[in-house]
Amino acid sequence: MLATQLIDAIDAELPQTQCTKCGHDGCRPYAEAIAQGEAINRCPPGGEETLERLAKLTGRPVIALAEPPQPPLLAVIREAECIGCTKCIQACPVDAILGAAKQMHTVIESECTGCELCVAPCPVDCIDLVSHPQWLAASTPSEQADYLEQRAIKGRSRFIARNQRLAFEAEAKAQRRAKRHAAGQPAAAAPQAPELSPSALRASRARQAAALKRLERKLAAAQDDTQRQTLVDQLEAQRQALDKIDAALATDGPAATTEPNATRRHQKRLALKAAEQSLRHVRQQLAHAKRQQDGAAVRQVEEQLDKAQKVVDSARAALDSETMP
């Protein structure tokens, strides 16, 4: 099988949620990585069934999923609490959120893939993830398969359309800059290289921030020293990638005039916010386990709560060290 054909075949088996939980910027990039030898067990939305199909397609053994399988989800914005910041819109990989600056946002239910990327950027924590109603309404295996197929078709097409839109915006911006530059330079001046638009940079930043948050959760739950060191290295690389994006964004507006350490302080504030949000989530899980009177679940969540609190304390200390004179 030719490389392109193999990538197409792998991509066809992936759920097209574009969630980046595999460590890549979408299902297609992950398919390309699998074709080059990367592990096939990094797709929580695909679950065991997708893992088995990928194993059969690639001829590799079935191994345990790197993260627990995830059922189809829907992002729901508590609209009364929405402040219209547009950050969730920028983060959505399939353009499934409607809204405008300082206006209430809402999720298009039939288009949402449940990727979770809109949750981390929300500054007021007004986005919930629930089981997707269309999935719950599917009462037979055939209906469930039909739903997953339609979600994959929509997820892929909307992801491609969004990337094309961002590329067009970046090209249009580069052309405008080239015209302004040419107006003050000799005609023979070399054209400037195209740059990503601010919207594309912000979208990329939202994805990177969500990935950073997931790595922090993994680090909090890690038991093995080797695994912890690997996660620490990945976290550092993720923070460096975010710093580069922040630096690029800073050159496009008033942020360029801020002091050199502003970007790092901003990143550490985001890290603290993500850790606090994770802590709130664990507390909600603990409350639910207590309501269910599930002793084993309570003990397990209490351990997670202790780890989540340590992550928050560490993030707060890191931020305090940046703000101290």
Side-chain angles (χ1 to χ4, degrees):
M1 186 181 294
L2 296 176
T4 302
Q5 293 175 332
L6 177 59
I7 293 169
D8 289 342
I10 295 171
D11 186 46
E13 298 296 346
L14 296 175
Q16 304 303 316
T17 57
Q18 318 302 342
C19 65
T20 75
K21 291 180 180 178
C22 58
H24 298 274
D25 283 339
C27 293
R28 182 73 182 191
Y30 183 40
E32 294 170 352
I34 290 176
Q36 295 173 3
E38 188 159 322
I40 61 175
N41 67 334
R42 297 178 182 173
C43 181
E48 300 289 349
E49 293 183 358
T50 295
L51 177 62
E52 291 174 2
R53 292 197 297 270
L54 290 174
K56 183 177 180 180
L57 179 62
T58 60
R60 303 179 197 172
V62 175
I63 56 178
L65 286 168
E67 295 185 34
Q70 173 188 297
L73 300 174
L74 169 69
V76 178
I77 297 174
R78 298 194 298 276
E79 296 174 351
E81 301 173 33
C82 176
I83 61 174
C85 69
T86 76
K87 291 183 178 180
C88 60
I89 295 176
Q90 297 162 20
C92 180
V94 293
D95 282 343
I97 303 178
L98 295 176
K102 299 183 181 179
Q103 302 294 321
M104 179 188 71
H105 303 342
T106 190
V107 177
I108 307 172
E109 178 181 303
S110 61
E111 311 298 344
C112 177
T113 65
C115 68
E116 302 185 45
L117 291 175
C118 59
V119 176
C122 178
V124 292
D125 194 21
C126 72
I127 303 177
D128 297 316
L129 288 166
V130 301
S131 295
H132 203 292
Q134 294 178 16
W135 172 255
L136 295 177
S139 56
T140 67
S142 176
E143 290 177 349
Q144 290 177 343
D146 287 343
Y147 163 75
L148 293 176
E149 181 180 0
Q150 291 302 313
R151 182 184 69 167
I153 292 172
K154 288 181 179 179
R156 182 185 291 108
S157 63
R158 293 181 71 88
F159 182 65
I160 292 172
R162 179 177 184 275
N163 286 339
Q164 290 174 341
R165 173 178 64 79
L166 293 177
F168 175 80
E169 290 176 355
E171 182 179 357
K173 179 181 178 182
Q175 291 176 353
R176 290 194 298 270
R177 283 190 169 182
K179 288 181 179 178
R180 290 197 298 268
H181 181 72
Q185 296 290 336
Q192 293 186 358
E195 298 177 11
L196 287 177
S197 67
S199 60
L201 283 169
R202 287 192 291 269
S204 177
R205 193 193 190 290
R207 290 193 295 271
Q208 297 281 5
L212 178 67
K213 180 182 175 183
R214 286 195 295 272
L215 285 171
E216 288 172 340
R217 287 202 298 266
K218 287 182 181 179
L219 180 60
Q223 301 292 333
D224 181 77
D225 289 341
T226 302
Q227 182 184 16
R228 287 181 63 84
Q229 185 56 53
T230 299
L231 289 170
V232 167
D233 294 341
Q234 292 176 354
L235 275 167
E236 181 59 28
Q238 198 73 42
R239 291 190 179 105
Q240 290 177 4
L242 277 167
D243 286 344
K244 290 180 180 179
I245 295 175
D246 285 337
L249 284 170
T251 62
D252 266 309
T257 61
T258 58
E259 65 273 18
N261 293 328
T263 296
R264 196 158 191 85
R265 285 200 297 272
H266 176 64
Q267 177 55 36
K268 291 190 176 182
R269 281 194 293 269
L270 288 176
L272 176 59
K273 179 183 178 300
E276 289 173 341
Q277 183 173 321
S278 178
L279 179 62
R280 287 195 297 271
H281 180 66
V282 174
R283 285 172 175 166
Q284 290 170 355
Q285 289 181 320
L286 179 60
H288 176 74
K290 288 181 176 179
R291 287 195 298 269
Q292 298 296 316
Q293 297 183 344
D294 187 338
V298 168
R299 288 190 295 273
Q300 183 179 5
V301 177
E302 283 178 342
E303 293 179 2
Q304 295 177 357
L305 182 65
D306 182 58
K307 294 175 181 176
Q309 183 63 60
K310 289 179 180 177
V311 173
V312 169
D313 294 342
S314 176
R316 184 173 290 116
L319 177 60
D320 289 343
S321 68
E322 285 288 330
T323 55
M324 289 176 61

